[in-house]
Amino acid sequence: MSEISARKFCAVRLKGQAAPHDLAILLNHAEELRERTGVLLSDSENWAPWADTSYLSEAERKQPDIAANIRAIDGVCAKIAFIAALEDSEHMGYWLGPNNRAVADSPLVVLDNEGQFHFCCGTTFAEAILERIYDQEFFDELKDWFKSLGISVSALSVDNLQEPTDDLDPADIHTELYERYIGGE
């Protein structure tokens, strides 16, 4: 894997905004992050695996419910600054929401491999990664690695990670868009 350019990453992934502190550090350790966790960061301009619908046949894509769901997912994805591919074809990014808030003020969200959106626990990218670690020993090991890089994590376990609050849940917006599109709009 080639080295990640922080400048290019911010331009193509974060809409030109600066990377939050922990992400900025992890961009300099992207290969080791991938080796330790399977989390992939990419600064490629054309990188958008969350938008891939090639697994569907042309006939399936023309079915009204599937077409509406694809449009709804695309509509929600347009409000996310995707930064990482996770194992199992899941993707994480900052939920900018309909108001296009700043990355620094945005909670992290995952688009799972079933097309569902979920907020990540934690207030940083590093904590959102830790949320996915259910083995306490590996959690502690990864937390220690983050600390050695200068990334502070106060949570003692997955259960201690803060749940985000946001009045504009991407899952709700997906449902609203789907219902609008399936209704013929």
Side-chain angles (χ1 to χ4, degrees):
M1 180 176 178
S2 61
E3 188 174 311
I4 298 281
S5 163
R7 185 170 154 216
K8 184 176 177 187
F9 185 92
C10 290
V12 300
R13 296 282 147 253
L14 302 178
K15 304 179 190 283
Q17 298 178 52
H21 174 74
D22 64 321
L23 176 58
I25 291 170
L26 290 171
L27 287 172
N28 292 321
H29 300 276
E31 183 60 26
E32 188 171 358
L33 176 67
R34 188 192 60 73
E35 290 171 2
R36 286 176 179 267
T37 65
V39 173
L40 172 70
L41 303 172
S42 174
D43 62 0
S44 172
E45 291 181 37
N46 300 322
W47 185 71
W50 55 88
D52 179 20
T53 59
S54 64
Y55 60 91
L56 296 169
S57 70
E58 188 63 32
E60 288 172 319
R61 281 193 286 274
K62 288 181 179 179
Q63 292 177 18
D65 59 330
I66 293 175
N69 192 46
I70 290 170
R71 283 184 67 198
I73 289 171
D74 289 347
V76 174
C77 286
K79 299 169 185 347
I80 299 172
F82 282 103
I83 59 169
L86 311 174
E87 294 179 328
D88 300 327
S89 299
E90 298 185 334
H91 302 90
M92 185 183 296
Y94 293 98
W95 171 238
L96 307 177
N99 299 326
N100 200 32
R101 79 181 127 221
V103 167
D105 299 330
S106 298
L108 286 137
V109 65
V110 166
L111 171 59
D112 71 21
N113 55 19
E114 295 184 9
Q116 303 297 311
F117 297 91
H118 311 275
F119 280 120
C120 300
C121 287
T123 58
T124 65
F125 177 52
E127 289 180 349
I129 293 170
L130 285 169
E131 175 194 24
R132 306 179 75 74
I133 309 299
Y134 298 106
D135 175 85
Q136 186 64 45
E137 186 176 329
F138 185 44
F139 181 97
D140 293 338
E141 178 186 316
L142 194 55
K143 181 179 164 182
D144 288 345
W145 179 62
F146 288 154
K147 183 178 178 182
S148 76
L149 298 176
I151 300 170
S152 176
V153 175
S154 60
L156 300 176
S157 71
V158 169
D159 296 332
N160 300 124
L161 292 170
Q162 181 180 344
E163 291 192 37
T165 56
D166 193 317
D167 292 339
L168 301 170
D169 188 318
D172 293 341
I173 292 173
H174 172 258
T175 300
E176 289 171 20
L177 290 174
Y178 174 80
E179 290 172 359
R180 183 183 319 156
Y181 298 147
I182 198 70
E185 188 175 311

